[in-house]
Amino acid sequence: MTTTDSATAATTTRDTAMDIGLFILRIGVGAAILQAGLIKAFDFGTTVGFMESAGWRLPGLAAFMVTAAETLGGLGLIFGALTPLAACAVIAAMVDAWAVNVSQSAFWSEPFNVPFLIGVGAAALLFLGAGAYAVDAKVLGRVSWGRRVAVGLLVVAFAAAILTWVALLGTNPIHFTARA
């Protein structure tokens, strides 16, 4: 085996391992968020009631938005289909879910919870791409989408989450002291 053949074999093995790792990450993050979305979809009345009791304006719209983002985002991540858009939807939903969990406390008092971790996983997929074992790769010929797309969609996700929170709940989700 020549040096070139050794380098090619090492690169192929590394790329294969990375693609398997991305596949595992997609399945884990996608399944977790899909479950959350399906729970909301199958008991939509409870989801609307939760939003209403928490003070959300237009609780039916808010419940629909989070249910759609979680369900479609989860499916997109599991299959690696339009992965940047799926990750963007998941990140936006998880920023708001994270804010719900920490909104009564100071900004960083208890930041590391399930929405935080799912959001971080989705952000990793946004930047790394879906890998070779994905619809994006098989149908569109893309294993990743580029840094500009990732940064742009990350900004869109945070903007959508904050605008949704402010427009439908009427408060700023990020604060540095505990709520009164």
Side-chain angles (χ1 to χ4, degrees):
M1 184 181 267
T2 66
T3 305
T4 305
D5 292 338
S6 297
T8 301
T11 301
T12 302
T13 302
R14 189 189 76 238
D15 290 347
T16 301
M18 183 162 44
D19 289 327
I20 292 169
L22 289 170
F23 176 74
I24 292 167
L25 181 61
R26 279 194 359 257
I27 297 300
V29 172
I33 195 65
L34 177 61
Q35 179 198 26
L38 290 177
I39 288 169
K40 290 172 182 69
F42 288 121
D43 196 4
F44 194 71
T46 299
T47 305
V48 172
F50 171 79
M51 299 294 222
E52 188 172 37
S53 69
W56 288 77
R57 297 180 201 130
L58 304 172
L61 175 64
F64 173 77
M65 288 171 59
V66 71
T67 302
E70 290 178 355
T71 304
L72 296 175
L75 287 170
L77 291 180
I78 288 170
F79 292 110
L82 300 175
T83 304
L85 296 177
C88 179
V90 170
I91 293 165
M94 291 302 94
V95 168
D96 278 347
W98 173 81
V100 165
N101 288 337
V102 301
S103 64
Q104 297 305 313
S105 304
F107 181 59
W108 282 107
S109 63
E110 296 180 41
F112 304 110
N113 53 36
V114 172
F116 178 86
L117 295 174
I118 290 173
V120 167
L125 289 166
L126 177 61
F127 281 88
L128 294 172
Y133 307 116
V135 171
D136 288 347
K138 301 298 182 195
V139 175
L140 303 175
R142 300 191 76 129
V143 294
S144 66
W145 292 78
R147 184 176 54 225
R148 286 185 179 175
V149 170
V151 169
L153 287 173
L154 185 63
V155 169
V156 166
F158 273 88
I162 292 170
L163 288 172
T164 299
W165 186 278
V166 171
L168 295 180
L169 193 57
T171 63
N172 178 359
I174 300 172
H175 49 277
F176 296 98
T177 59
R179 296 271 186 198

